């Protein structure tokens, strides 16, 4: 095996070990011709197919989501993310990649399973406000924070020239997933997403628990020692991607030189990962529908 190919496969194994593929249970290669919920010609396949930007966007999404006190309470009270950060990453990755790229039956099963789990996630936050993960409004917040962050990361690290029409098309497409979970009145365009985030700002806050999430993310484990620097870079890239008002709420200040350094480094790591990863969920789905050999 050529030295370059050996290195590529080693990097690919590291990357896929933190993805939803590591959990198994979904065959992205079969049945042949199954387009799943979306299909290869959709914008969501383009955006979610770029693993590098999705990782950065996922960090940004979690921090944005946790600014909502009820979303934070649900995760804090009903998740083991504080002790198993990689496990949470894999489970979240499996849901996103599965609903995007899996065959239709598997995507529908994932939505049904998560919808069932949400019914058990109820409680009261630190201010006495009741919450339920199945609440349509809370579902929409989590969805918007996630899809917005994925798209911002894609625009930054993959294709800054994606048209506004395609960006809005992306939001229209991914709305199908949260609607399947029970979300209603889901924003479906760039303008609607921007307006929604502005309307939500008075409901958001940063407290000790939110700051603990930031601290944990900064110390998130990597699949190996050699991957630690890349993992830290991705976390800081996710932080840098946050809207300015969100960084201010979290008390995060990044000097211009630091931001340029993060951007410069992440672009080069993203290029490396795109070269290395050739058997991710997108690749398998594209082979399933006959678009890759």
């Amino acid at each position: 095996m050529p030295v370059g190919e050996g290195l590529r496969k080693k990097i690919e194994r590291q990357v896929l070990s933190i993805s939803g593929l590591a959990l198994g249970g979904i065959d992205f290669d079969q049945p042949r011709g199954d387009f799943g919920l979306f299909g290869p010609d959709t914008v969501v396949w383009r955006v979610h197919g770029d693993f590098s930007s999705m990782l950065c966007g996922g960090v940004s999404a979690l921090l944005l989501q946790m600014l909502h006190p009820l979303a934070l309470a649900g995760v804090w009270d009903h998740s083991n993310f504080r002790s198993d950060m990689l496990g949470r990453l894999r489970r979240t990755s499996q849901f996103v990649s599965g609903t995007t790229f899996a065959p239709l039956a598997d995507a529908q099963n994932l939505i049904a399973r998560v919808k069932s789990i949400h019914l058990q996630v109820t409680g009261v936050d630190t201010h006495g406000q009741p919450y339920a993960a199945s609440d349509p409004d809370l579902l929409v917040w989590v969805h918007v924070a996630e899809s917005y962050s994925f798209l911002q990361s894609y625009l930054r690290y993959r294709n800054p020239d994606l048209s506004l029409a395609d960006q809005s098309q992306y939001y229209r497409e991914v709305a199908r997933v949260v609607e399947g979970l029970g979300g209603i009145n889901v924003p479906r365009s760039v303008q609607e997403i921007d307006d929604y985030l502005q309307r939500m700002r008075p409901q958001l806050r940063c407290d000790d628990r939110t700051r603990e999430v930031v601290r944990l993310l900064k110390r998130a484990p990597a699949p190996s020692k050699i991957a630690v620097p890349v993992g830290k870079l991705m976390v800081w890239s996710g932080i840098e991607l946050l809207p300015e008002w969100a960084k201010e709420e979290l008390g995060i200040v990044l000097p211009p030189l630091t931001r340029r350094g993060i951007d410069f480094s992440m672009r080069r790591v993203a290029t490396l990962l795109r070269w290395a990863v050739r058997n991710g969920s997108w690749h398998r789905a594209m082979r399933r529908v006959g678009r890759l050999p």
Side-chain angles (χ1 to χ4, degrees):
M1 179 186 297
V3 174
E5 181 63 7
L7 174 63
R8 185 196 69 76
K9 289 190 173 183
K10 185 175 182 179
I11 295 172
E12 183 177 49
R13 284 195 299 270
Q14 294 274 311
V15 172
L16 297 185
S17 74
I18 63 172
S19 76
L21 290 172
L23 298 177
I26 297 176
D27 186 353
F28 287 86
D29 295 285
Q30 299 292 338
R32 293 290 180 176
D34 190 319
F35 275 28
L37 282 176
F38 301 106
D41 298 317
T42 57
V43 183
V44 67
W45 271 43
R46 270 187 276 164
V47 174
H48 291 186
D50 188 52
F51 193 81
S52 304
S53 57
M54 288 293 284
L55 281 173
C56 300
V59 171
S60 194
L62 178 61
L63 290 172
L64 195 54
Q65 289 166 347
M66 294 302 95
L67 284 173
H68 193 300
L70 301 186
L72 173 61
V75 171
W76 194 275
D77 296 341
H78 296 271
S79 169
N80 65 343
F81 82 100
R82 282 167 286 168
S83 59
D84 186 19
M85 188 73 77
L86 281 178
R88 176 178 172 80
L89 173 61
R90 292 186 184 106
R91 291 188 295 274
T92 301
S93 175
Q94 184 187 60
F95 182 77
V96 174
S97 65
T99 53
T100 305
F101 298 115
L104 183 60
D106 290 294
Q108 292 173 330
N109 287 338
L110 277 172
I111 292 172
R113 186 175 73 192
V114 169
K115 189 173 182 178
S116 176
I117 292 170
H118 281 170
L119 295 175
Q120 306 168 42
V121 179
T122 60
V124 179
D125 76 356
T126 54
H127 290 259
Q129 181 73 20
Y131 66 81
S134 59
D135 173 29
D137 291 337
L138 197 54
L139 285 168
V140 170
W141 165 252
V142 171
H143 163 78
V144 169
E146 183 176 83
S147 55
Y148 170 83
S149 299
F150 288 154
L151 184 56
Q152 296 311 303
S153 190
Y154 181 81
L155 292 169
R156 173 73 63 84
Y157 294 116
R158 185 56 173 171
N159 181 15
D161 297 321
L162 187 70
S163 70
L164 284 174
D166 278 349
Q167 293 177 45
S168 290
Q169 178 64 25
Y170 168 74
Y171 287 129
R172 284 193 294 274
E173 291 169 0
V174 292
R176 183 174 181 181
V177 175
V178 70
E179 287 171 345
L181 293 171
I184 57 176
N185 300 321
V186 184
R188 291 174 167 273
S189 70
V190 171
Q191 189 60 58
E192 288 179 9
I193 291 287
D194 290 344
D195 292 344
Y196 173 84
L197 289 171
Q198 289 302 313
R199 290 198 308 273
M200 290 298 294
R201 285 181 60 182
Q203 299 182 39
L204 309 180
R205 68 164 182 262
C206 178
D207 59 17
D208 289 342
R209 285 180 167 186
T210 322
R211 285 185 282 272
E212 177 68 3
V213 172
V214 177
R215 187 186 68 81
L216 288 169
L217 275 174
K218 289 178 179 178
R219 297 173 54 188
S224 68
K225 289 184 179 180
I226 198 171
V228 169
V230 173
K232 289 186 178 299
L233 174 62
M234 286 186 164
V235 169
W236 279 105
S237 297
I239 291 171
E240 200 277 328
L241 279 168
L242 285 165
E244 291 304 315
W245 56 263
K247 286 198 282 281
E248 291 175 9
E249 186 73 31
L250 291 165
I252 296 172
V253 178
L254 294 174
L257 185 60
T258 299
R259 298 178 71 164
R260 287 196 293 271
I262 291 170
D263 184 75
F264 177 87
S265 301
M266 189 61 232
R267 288 180 187 277
R268 276 141 190 82
V269 167
T271 299
L272 174 66
L273 296 184
R274 289 180 194 120
W275 165 77
V277 178
R278 301 180 189 177
N279 199 32
S281 301
W282 177 83
H283 302 84
R284 298 180 194 201
M286 288 291 279
R287 287 196 293 268
R288 188 182 75 239
V289 300
R291 296 296 181 89
L292 285 179

